[in-house]
Amino acid sequence: MMKIKSKAMIFSLVIAIISLSLAACGGKTNSNSNSNSGVVYRTLDEIKASGEINIGVFSDKNPFGYVDENGDYQGYDVYFAERIGQDLGVKINYISTEAANRVEYLETGKADIILANFTVTAERAEKVDFALPYMNVALGVVSPDSRVITDLNEVTPDDEIIVISGTTAETYFIANHPEIKLQKYDTYANAKNALENGAGIAWANDNTEVIAFALQNPGYTVGIPSLGGQDTIAPAVSKGNSSLLDWLNDEIEGLAPENFFHQDYEATLADTYGLDYEESLVVEGGVIAS
């Protein structure tokens, strides 16, 4: 009887050890959580201790975030990401993201920071925490020269406007022009291909993106350069990750004396836009010019 009791005790001890080990593994991946939403994230100290940071960027949105012919990430957002990694003293793991999954990647802890041309909106701010802005943006509409759309009143009931799912363009049209039919795509590449193939009469997106498209593709004109209100682009972190958010805000403010984002623009965007757009697009030190 004593022998059976010992085996039972040993078995119980083994189960307890396994349970503790599994709990420890789970805690290593999802180290913190927002009890109200179930959002998981890594704190600043945990990121530093790991020696790596996961940053979500676009892989198909040249010149903001894209993969070049050598397989390396490049662009305006990536230039900033590289500085973040340098100043944190950690390696960067780039996470290719699409517009529709930017919030999800933060909520699930797949990305520590999203730097994917992320427009600040009140709706998004309920799910993620935005740092200080580093760029201005509005919506724009680009269309073929054969039929340049200069006013949304020119869109007929038979026409369709191309948008990308999860963007502010989609939200704007649903809220303000529900009568206009939308063609929705998941990626920037697919949206551009649709426009080039005549699948829609125009493409609505961030004005920076449609201006770049028109400059790089003869035969297209940005007939509506500014639609709706003026917005800003900012980094985003998981809701409640205050340590990383505070560090990002300090970083953005601390980069102002060296005009970092002007340097970023001139290194990554000037070839596309020229210098005429620099002052209107760049936000330095998180301060929006009045």
Side-chain angles (χ1 to χ4, degrees):
M1 293 293 294
M2 287 296 294
K3 191 173 183 179
I4 294 173
K5 186 176 181 181
S6 293
K7 286 182 178 180
M9 291 176 65
I10 292 171
F11 179 75
S12 299
L13 181 60
V14 169
I15 292 298
I17 292 171
I18 291 173
S19 298
L20 288 171
S21 298
L22 289 174
C25 290
K28 194 172 183 179
T29 302
N30 302 332
S31 54
N32 293 276
S33 66
N34 183 319
S35 59
N36 294 325
S37 65
V39 174
V40 296
Y41 57 79
R42 298 191 302 159
T43 65
L44 179 65
D45 287 342
E46 288 170 329
I47 291 168
K48 288 181 176 180
S50 74
E52 297 181 344
I53 187 167
N54 302 316
I55 300 182
V57 296
F58 287 125
S59 60
D60 64 348
K61 191 177 181 182
N62 187 351
F64 297 95
Y66 64 99
V67 177
D68 66 15
E69 62 275 8
N70 298 318
D72 297 322
Y73 282 90
Q74 305 287 353
Y76 186 76
D77 292 337
V78 176
Y79 189 102
F80 181 29
E82 288 292 319
R83 182 59 180 265
I84 289 173
Q86 175 186 323
D87 290 348
L88 273 176
V90 298
K91 172 190 172 185
I92 301 172
N93 294 322
Y94 284 112
I95 309 296
S96 177
T97 184
E98 296 171 2
N101 58 26
R102 290 174 293 193
V103 171
E104 174 194 342
Y105 280 11
L106 290 175
E107 289 181 330
T108 59
K110 184 170 184 177
D112 299 306
I113 300 172
I114 290 291
L115 283 180
N117 222 228
F118 211 1
T119 303
V120 178
T121 69
E123 181 181 8
R124 289 171 176 168
E126 293 178 356
K127 299 179 180 180
V128 304
D129 284 337
F130 285 103
L132 293 171
Y134 60 93
M135 195 171 196
N136 290 312
V137 70
L139 294 178
V141 179
V142 61
S143 47
D145 288 348
S146 58
R147 185 187 170 190
V148 178
I149 301 298
T150 60
D151 191 294
L152 292 181
N153 290 327
E154 299 167 6
V155 180
T156 74
D158 294 328
D159 295 326
E160 293 184 334
I161 298 288
I162 295 166
V163 297
I164 299 169
S165 299
T167 62
T168 50
E170 178 190 27
T171 303
Y172 174 83
F173 276 93
I174 290 173
N176 298 283
H177 294 279
E179 76 282 1
I180 294 179
K181 296 177 183 177
L182 302 179
Q183 274 191 37
K184 302 179 184 181
Y185 295 90
D186 290 333
T187 69
Y188 286 87
N190 288 339
K192 292 173 183 177
N193 289 337
L195 181 64
E196 292 171 337
N197 292 327
I201 63 159
W203 175 28
N205 202 61
D206 290 353
N207 60 356
T208 50
E209 179 66 19
V210 297
I211 289 169
F213 178 85
L215 290 172
Q216 295 169 350
N217 296 273
Y220 295 89
T221 296
V222 179
I224 305 177
S226 184
L227 185 66
Q230 188 77 21
D231 295 310
T232 58
I233 300 293
V237 302
S238 301
K239 197 71 177 174
N241 195 353
S242 58
S243 62
L244 184 56
L245 180 67
D246 291 344
W247 185 90
L248 271 174
N249 285 334
D250 290 342
E251 175 80 345
I252 292 170
E253 290 178 334
L255 292 173
E258 61 187 83
N259 283 320
F260 173 82
F261 289 102
H262 283 79
Q263 295 176 30
D264 188 352
Y265 180 99
E266 291 164 15
T268 62
L269 302 185
D271 285 347
T272 299
Y273 298 103
L275 299 179
D276 291 342
Y277 287 99
E278 183 171 1
E279 291 306 317
S280 63
L281 293 178
V282 173
V283 175
E284 199 70 71
V287 179
I288 302 171
S290 57

